[in-house]
Amino acid sequence: MLMRKVPVFVPASPWGLRLPQKFLFLLFLSGLVTLCFGALFLLPNSSRLKRLFLAPRTQQPGLEVVAEVAGHPLVREQESPPNPAPAVPAPGEDDASSQASARRRKGWLRRTHPTGTREMATAARSSGSSALRPQGATAPRPQGATAARSSGSAPLRPQEPSIPFSFDFHAFRSRLRHPVLGTRADESKEPQSLVRAQREKIKEMMQFAWQSYKRYAMGKNELRPLTKDGYEGNMFGGLSGATIIDSLDTLYLMELQEEFQEAKAWVEENFHLNVSGEASLFEVNIRYIGGLLSAFYLTGEEVFRIKAIKLGEKLLPAFNTPTGIPKGVVNFKSSSIRSWGWAMAGSSSVLAEFGSLHLEFLHLTELSGNQVFAEKAMKVRLVSISWQVRNIRKVLRKIDKPFGLYPNFLSPVSGNWMQHHVSVGGLGDSFYEYLIKSWLMSAKTDVEAKDMYYEALEAIETHLLNVSPGGLTYIAEWRGGVLDHKMGHLACFSGGMIALGAEDAKEEKRARYRELAAQITKTCHESYARSDTKLGPEAFWFNSGREAVATQLSESYYILRPEVVESYMYLWRQTHDPIYREWGWEVVTALEKYCRTEAGFSGIQDVYSSIPSHDNKQQTFFLAETLKYLYLLFSEDDMLSLEDWVFNTEAHPLPVNRSDSPGRVGGQL
Ligand code: DMJ
């Protein structure tokens, strides 16, 4: 019989184990522990276990980083690194196609909202989240208003990690000073009034424009009413549905409930971001992001917030230039960027384009939370969305300006002006608009924007403003000191802008600016009144004895632009002079007579012909802006009150920021 030899000097353990066995057991145990610890690293970032044991040392908001902007001194900025390498989702990665990182992003998106889809919204509602309705509204509202709360309504799932950011939609709504759609005092006082009938007529026009688009072009960017089909265009990088997203807030405002629901359903189900074309940074920002942000602020529907943020991420590569001044075109697939070929042979960024991002980008920060956005969207480096636009401001503040004027073309590489053409119309326009609106949107804390606006206006007044022999006030264009005595239709927004900014000007300038706003608006009205159709041309001149008329056919077209009625709306709100409603109604009548076709509204090729031919395009801004401003012109002042809202340059209302959130910009950068 084989007997195992037991060494006498090795006592048995209390568990009956001998030393070699104990050693083996310990070896096994320590191997197990090492394996478990190593496995932690393989867990997704959102895992609670991982965060518990491997707490990341991320930078906290408020930490200062120092960035060098090429050609400029060191830039000190809150929460912001140098202009980074593009840190957006990998090409093609988005809500439809992203894989692992999308799952990671979903983690934080879910944390701040009860829903990303309609089904989830429904679930949130049925789980008891209170329905939001426009405050003080008496009439039925679009169902979009019955939105789930952004935070606090749906309890976070126990396994969901918390994040330092959440947007409190209820708190935001409670900070508004007026019901979103107003109190409709006029409706109860005078239910059959003329103004109400006029408003209803404009609503019918919107309904017709929408129905026509829906019937012939649903999902395409624009309707072609003559050929009864859709058109995608080449500005949106392959994104679709520009008319839908541009229309959301107008439909909501006019209480076109069914139509609003159709538009919202399309966004939920069909608005895909996995596109791969070249997009205009400016157009995508003002139309898509502006439209989505407004739709969110009006309804609280999470789908709009999420899509806006994700689209914002896709635009970030545009800022990857030595100066941080973005280029105008982004390739959604490769993230490569370029300037428009027409902008000084592809060397320049355009003032109106890079100068019209501020409002939307601050709200993207407000709704995403800088740190989370940076961590997830940028993967590694911490970059706040609003830093990008703050940097633009910094560059413009420092650069030498000829006579205090801002030329239209700037090199994003050197940070120098590329020529000296100054215009308050095309190429320059909304840069000035965003200065005064940044001041207003910051609840009058962004002193830098205010100062830049009044300084620029002063220079415009000194060098560009003119009065024609016939007594019409106009803003000319400036080419290195020589004036072109013309105004573009686009420049006609300036009447409204100057009216809007008049109240915060130095006291001795206030009356002057009010008067200037009225005079410019009158001139723009003249450009309409002097045409056969009572619609205004694309550009009008003041020379050779002719005033406020186009001088060639190539400038005689009207493409359903809003700028003139936009100024009527602001002037009406400021003065309540009935002339603005009269002028607005002239436009309604002319649109009906010359632009309405069997299948939608169309621009016309010659405003001086009483039988004009149509251009076969129902522009998205007709629904976003022209009809919205007309509707507001015939509404009470507390509908989208200017105390609570600023309109972006595509007429999408964005709220004045009265919170202490990161999106809020003070005067100092
Ligand atoms: C709109 O897209 C915007 O208003 C933009 O600022 C320039 N103009 C068009 C409409 O005319």
Side-chain angles (χ1 to χ4, degrees):
M1 181 175 147
L2 184 66
M3 297 282 292
R4 190 175 289 179
K5 191 177 172 194
V6 179
V8 285
F9 55 86
V10 181
S13 76
W15 302 331
L17 292 178
R18 299 196 163 75
L19 193 59
Q21 290 168 315
K22 263 170 66 180
F23 179 71
L24 275 175
F25 178 71
L26 281 174
L27 205 67
F28 171 74
L29 210 63
S30 65
L32 198 68
V33 169
T34 313
L35 253 175
C36 289
F37 188 69
L40 279 176
F41 287 94
L42 299 176
L43 287 174
N45 286 335
S46 55
S47 158
R48 263 202 311 175
L49 266 180
K50 180 171 183 175
R51 290 186 311 107
L52 195 64
F53 290 102
L54 302 175
R57 297 195 188 286
T58 49
Q59 193 172 352
Q60 294 306 305
L63 287 189
E64 187 182 49
V65 292
V66 178
E68 188 167 12
V69 175
H72 297 273
L74 286 179
V75 176
R76 288 185 179 272
E77 187 56 58
Q78 291 286 303
E79 312 170 26
S80 47
N83 187 41
V88 291
E93 179 188 290
D94 66 9
D95 55 341
S97 64
S98 58
Q99 315 271 312
S101 62
R103 280 195 295 277
R104 287 197 299 277
R105 280 205 301 280
K106 267 189 201 154
W108 69 266
L109 289 173
R110 258 192 247 120
R111 289 181 292 248
T112 57
H113 68 86
T115 158
T117 65
R118 208 147 50 132
E119 303 83 75
M120 291 161 79
T122 313
R125 276 195 289 275
S126 58
S127 77
S129 56
S130 67
L132 292 177
R133 290 184 188 83
Q135 304 154 344
T138 48
R141 298 288 179 248
Q143 286 170 28
T146 61
R149 294 157 79 165
S150 280
S151 64
S153 61
L156 294 176
R157 296 195 217 151
Q159 74 272 23
E160 296 284 9
S162 66
I163 55 162
F165 168 79
S166 76
F167 182 77
D168 190 336
F169 190 77
H170 269 315
F172 147 67
R173 293 294 284 249
S174 69
R175 285 191 292 267
L176 295 179
R177 296 191 174 155
H178 301 271
V180 174
L181 300 189
T183 52
R184 314 292 182 83
D186 65 331
E187 286 178 20
S188 43
K189 273 188 275 165
E190 288 180 89
Q192 303 303 327
S193 71
L194 172 64
V195 70
R196 189 164 178 200
Q198 291 172 312
R199 191 160 67 225
E200 286 304 311
K201 173 64 200 167
I202 296 159
K203 179 171 171 175
E204 184 279 327
M205 292 165 75
M206 178 69 189
Q207 199 163 22
F208 174 68
W210 171 263
Q211 296 293 357
S212 304
Y213 165 79
K214 186 181 128 192
R215 181 156 176 208
Y216 299 111
M218 189 68 181
K220 293 283 197 294
N221 281 325
E222 276 171 335
L223 163 68
R224 295 199 294 195
L226 300 193
T227 45
K228 297 183 179 170
D229 57 6
Y231 175 72
E232 290 293 22
N234 54 6
M235 291 187 307
F236 304 123
L239 294 170
S240 291
T243 293
I244 299 172
I245 290 174
D246 243 6
S247 296
L248 280 162
D249 50 18
T250 311
L251 294 171
Y252 181 88
L253 187 70
M254 295 182 180
E255 298 180 90
L256 289 165
Q257 302 180 27
E258 211 176 289
E259 291 82 355
F260 177 85
Q261 288 305 323
E262 289 162 359
K264 186 182 133 207
W266 185 89
V267 174
E268 287 168 335
E269 287 151 25
N270 298 301
F271 182 45
H272 302 303
L273 306 184
N274 57 334
V275 291
S276 55
E278 283 198 319
S280 158
L281 166 70
F282 169 76
E283 297 292 354
V284 169
N285 178 56
I286 67 168
R287 300 191 201 207
Y288 282 93
I289 293 185
L292 290 166
L293 289 173
S294 289
F296 172 71
Y297 281 116
L298 291 174
T299 66
E301 294 282 0
E302 282 295 303
V303 63
F304 301 130
R305 186 177 75 95
I306 292 160
K307 299 266 184 188
I309 293 166
K310 289 186 161 199
L311 197 46
E313 293 173 10
K314 290 178 80 79
L315 293 178
L316 291 177
F319 294 85
N320 187 29
T321 67
T323 57
I325 296 286
K327 292 190 178 180
V329 185
V330 190
N331 185 310
F332 281 151
K333 186 168 188 192
S334 65
S335 296
S336 64
I337 59 175
R338 67 179 176 90
S339 298
W340 295 108
W342 48 261
M344 303 299 291
S347 67
S348 296
S349 295
V350 179
L351 182 68
E353 296 198 335
F354 67 78
S356 308
L357 303 166
H358 207 93
L359 304 181
E360 297 82 1
F361 273 52
L362 259 61
H363 274 294
L364 285 178
T365 289
E366 171 77 8
L367 294 185
S368 65
N370 285 345
Q371 197 189 357
V372 172
F373 191 87
E375 191 183 332
K376 300 295 179 187
M378 314 302 221
K379 310 255 170 59
V380 272
R381 305 184 73 176
L382 289 170
V383 180
S384 93
I385 279 263
S386 58
W387 181 83
Q388 311 276 10
V389 287
R390 292 176 202 200
N391 177 59
I392 295 174
R393 179 86 68 74
K394 193 172 282 293
V395 173
L396 288 175
R397 189 98 182 113
K398 283 183 183 297
I399 190 172
D400 274 344
K401 293 168 268 292
F403 302 99
L405 296 166
Y406 290 84
N408 292 333
F409 291 120
L410 185 84
S411 163
V413 175
S414 68
N416 295 323
W417 302 119
M418 295 302 284
Q419 42 74 303
H420 280 182
H421 175 219
V422 177
S423 163
V424 177
L427 305 178
D429 49 7
S430 41
F431 159 68
Y432 306 97
E433 176 185 356
Y434 273 38
L435 288 178
I436 188 63
K437 289 182 176 176
S438 293
W439 158 250
L440 296 171
M441 199 182 84
S442 70
K444 304 193 179 180
T445 60
D446 187 355
V447 178
E448 181 175 61
K450 177 191 177 191
D451 291 347
M452 287 171 76
Y453 170 74
Y454 289 113
E455 284 160 19
L457 188 55
E458 196 88 41
I460 288 165
E461 220 186 329
T462 310
H463 300 286
L464 275 62
L465 200 70
N466 265 276
V467 181
S468 73
L472 296 178
T473 301
Y474 61 96
I475 303 180
E477 299 193 1
W478 189 90
R479 290 180 191 277
V482 179
L483 291 184
D484 278 347
H485 293 274
K486 77 163 185 183
M487 252 181 104
H489 193 290
L490 290 166
C492 284
F493 86 99
S494 59
M497 176 185 74
I498 295 168
L500 186 65
E503 302 316 312
D504 292 321
K506 288 188 195 131
E507 206 179 333
E508 64 273 18
K509 297 289 281 187
R510 279 181 210 156
R512 159 82 185 138
Y513 286 151
R514 279 191 215 114
E515 180 55 21
L516 185 57
Q519 289 304 327
I520 290 169
T521 304
K522 180 166 167 251
T523 299
C524 291
H525 172 259
E526 282 301 315
S527 77
Y528 276 49
R530 294 176 189 203
S531 78
D532 294 38
T533 55
K534 305 302 166 208
L535 294 166
E538 181 67 2
F540 45 94
W541 291 77
F542 300 84
N543 58 16
S544 316
R546 287 190 290 188
E547 299 195 352
V549 288
T551 55
Q552 42 190 321
L553 187 61
S554 62
E555 293 174 333
S556 300
Y557 60 88
Y558 172 70
I559 58 167
L560 306 173
R561 286 199 192 278
E563 291 77 18
V564 174
V565 295
E566 176 180 350
S567 284
Y568 294 167
M569 192 281 289
Y570 283 109
L571 267 292
W572 162 258
R573 287 219 173 164
Q574 185 179 70
T575 65
H576 287 169
D577 183 337
I579 196 68
Y580 299 112
R581 280 186 168 170
E582 271 175 42
W583 291 350
W585 195 247
E586 287 170 10
V587 177
V588 170
T589 311
L591 286 169
E592 284 287 283
K593 189 164 174 190
Y594 296 107
C595 299
R596 189 166 179 143
T597 74
E598 187 201 323
F601 286 90
S602 168
I604 56 174
Q605 280 165 357
D606 183 4
V607 294
Y608 301 107
S609 162
S610 53
I611 316 169
S613 39
H614 293 111
D615 69 2
N616 195 22
K617 223 174 184 204
Q618 181 175 279
Q619 302 274 354
T620 77
F621 50 69
F622 180 65
L623 296 89
E625 299 191 71
T626 312
L627 291 175
K628 185 187 285 140
Y629 284 132
L630 281 168
Y631 190 77
L632 291 172
L633 175 62
F634 291 95
S635 302
E636 297 286 288
D637 294 356
D638 60 0
M639 174 175 283
L640 290 179
S641 164
L642 296 177
E643 282 189 75
D644 286 325
W645 303 90
V646 294
F647 292 93
N648 87 339
T649 192
E650 189 78 358
H652 295 304
L654 299 172
V656 170
N657 191 347
R658 297 200 178 89
S659 72
D660 293 322
S661 58
R664 180 166 181 170
V665 175
Q668 300 310 308
L669 296 178

